[in-house]
């Protein structure tokens, strides 16, 4: 079985559903409120586990009720939480507003995630034995860099989601094999709003890039000159909160299994399209059987 390590955040998502997100200074009435386990690290861990990998989660939660719930939710999806530390600060939270078009706005309060500044005992072994290491930017950069360095030292493929977008040190990018930003993060990193131009610019820093384009699919580029654009299935979105994390988790599993890039991207896009049709973050993520079934049912060019 493919083994994936995830070094990143674990949050409790506090989600309000509204007809239209409020403008600055505006108050609106919500239709529904939910607490849903999330965090980009935990989301990618769940996505990869449900896509068929053996996944180890490296990170931190608080010594509070949210921490207990977050640990249990990961374990329920088959994620190994042996390297999930407990800090003497509150668990991280994400405050999310979801509108009726499926769009979202998010405020993240790091909490315990902010304590992950280095590798703890056992983290190194979890990374060394993995086929790939998934990284994001909801823990301190020092922690992300420590994980990336160790993975590079042991020949483990590193996949970074540069979110939330911020300037990235050259040392970190030098340890990344595959960068997976969305189009807004790619623009923030390069200054190019065109995804093709942004991908080309990012190849000066990393060897491979996949830019996610929402309902338009995803774009791949590498230093050999290969370029691919893979469309996404057409669906009606209910909640896009975890679509990007679903895509990255499934993509990493497919690539670690040795699938061709285009096939892996299409499979990951199908997984993401399934997730946006259900509310919530990790709760919306599909299992491997559902992804395979949706791929098999998808119309082909001949159809």
């Amino acid at each position: 079985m493919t083994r994936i390590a995830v070094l990143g955040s674990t949050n409790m998502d506090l989600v309000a559903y509204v007809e239209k997100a409020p403008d600055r200074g505006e108050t609106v009435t919500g239709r529904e409120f939910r607490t849903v386990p999330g965090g980009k690290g935990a989301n990618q861990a769940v996505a990869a586990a449900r896509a068929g990998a053996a996944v180890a989660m490296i990170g931190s939660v608080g010594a509070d009720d949210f921490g207990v719930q977050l640990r249990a939710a990961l374990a329920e999806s088959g994620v190994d939480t042996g390297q999930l530390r407990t800090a003497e600060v509150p668990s991280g939270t994400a405050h999310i507003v979801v509108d009726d078009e499926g769009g979202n706005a998010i405020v993240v309060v790091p909490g315990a995630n902010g304590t992950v500044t280095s590798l703890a005992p056992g983290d190194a072994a979890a990374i060394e034995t993995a086929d790939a290491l998934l990284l994001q930017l909801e823990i301190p950069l020092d922690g992300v860099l420590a994980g990336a360095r160790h993975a590079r030292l042991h020949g483990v493929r590193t996949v970074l989601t540069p979110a939330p977008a911020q300037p990235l040190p050259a040392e970190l990018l030098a340890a990344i094999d595959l960068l997976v930003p969305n189009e807004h993060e790619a623009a923030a990193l390069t200054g190019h709003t065109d995804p093709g131009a942004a991908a080309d610019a990012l190849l000066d820093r990393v060897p491979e890039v996949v830019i996610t384009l929402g309902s338009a699919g995803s774009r791949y580029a590498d230093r050999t000159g290969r370029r691919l654009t893979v469309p996404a299935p057409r669906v009606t979105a209910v909640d896009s909160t975890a679509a990007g994390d679903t895509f990255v988790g499934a993509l990493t599993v497919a690539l670690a299994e040795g699938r061709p890039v285009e096939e892996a991207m299409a499979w990951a896009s199908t997984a993401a399209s399934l997730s946006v049709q259900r509310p919530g973050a990790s709760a919306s993520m599909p299992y491997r059987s559902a992804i395979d079934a949706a791929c098999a049912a998808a119309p082909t060019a001949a159809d």
Side-chain angles (χ1 to χ4, degrees), residues 38-264:
K40 294 196 73 64
N43 286 346
Q44 291 184 7
V46 170
R50 292 187 176 186
V55 180
M57 180 70 207
I58 303 168
S60 182
V61 295
D64 51 21
D65 288 344
F66 282 167
V68 173
Q69 294 169 37
L70 291 167
R71 192 181 294 274
L74 285 165
E76 186 178 347
S77 287
V79 176
D80 181 349
T81 61
Q83 295 308 122
L84 189 60
R85 318 165 200 174
T86 300
E88 296 301 319
V89 295
S91 296
T93 53
H95 305 256
I96 305 172
V97 175
V98 180
D99 63 34
D100 279 353
E101 295 182 357
N104 63 73
I106 305 173
V107 176
V108 174
V109 181
N113 297 303
T115 67
V116 185
T117 57
S118 61
L119 298 183
D123 293 352
I127 293 171
E128 291 167 23
T129 57
D131 297 298
L133 172 66
L134 283 171
L135 301 160
Q136 319 79 33
L137 301 177
E138 288 184 345
I139 63 171
L141 275 176
D142 286 347
V144 178
L145 182 55
R149 281 177 182 156
H150 196 75
R152 176 53 58 92
L153 183 65
H154 291 273
V156 176
R157 182 183 179 90
T158 51
V159 180
L160 172 65
T161 303
Q166 58 186 280
L168 298 177
E171 186 180 3
L172 173 59
L173 289 168
I176 298 304
D177 295 304
L178 172 63
L179 190 70
V180 190
N182 64 27
E183 54 192 320
H184 306 294
E185 293 151 3
L189 289 171
T190 66
H192 295 291
T193 56
D194 175 72
D200 290 342
L202 289 169
L203 292 177
D204 290 337
R205 310 177 208 179
V206 294
E208 290 183 282
V209 177
V210 173
I211 299 179
T212 58
L213 307 172
S215 60
S218 55
R219 182 177 178 87
Y220 171 86
D222 68 20
R223 288 175 175 170
T224 70
R226 190 176 187 195
R227 304 290 185 270
L228 292 169
T229 299
V230 176
R234 292 188 178 184
V235 298
T236 300
V238 172
D239 182 355
S240 63
T241 301
D245 294 328
T246 303
F247 179 93
V248 174
L251 177 71
T252 303
V253 172
L255 292 174
E257 292 175 350
R259 302 195 202 186
V261 170
E262 187 169 6
E263 178 186 329

Side-chain angles (χ1 to χ4, degrees), residues 13-32:
D13 291 349
L14 311 177
V15 190
Y17 293 90
V18 299
E19 180 180 355
K20 176 184 174 297
D23 295 324
R24 184 174 183 178
E26 181 185 13
T27 299
V28 300
T29 299
R31 165 178 82 253
E32 184 180 1

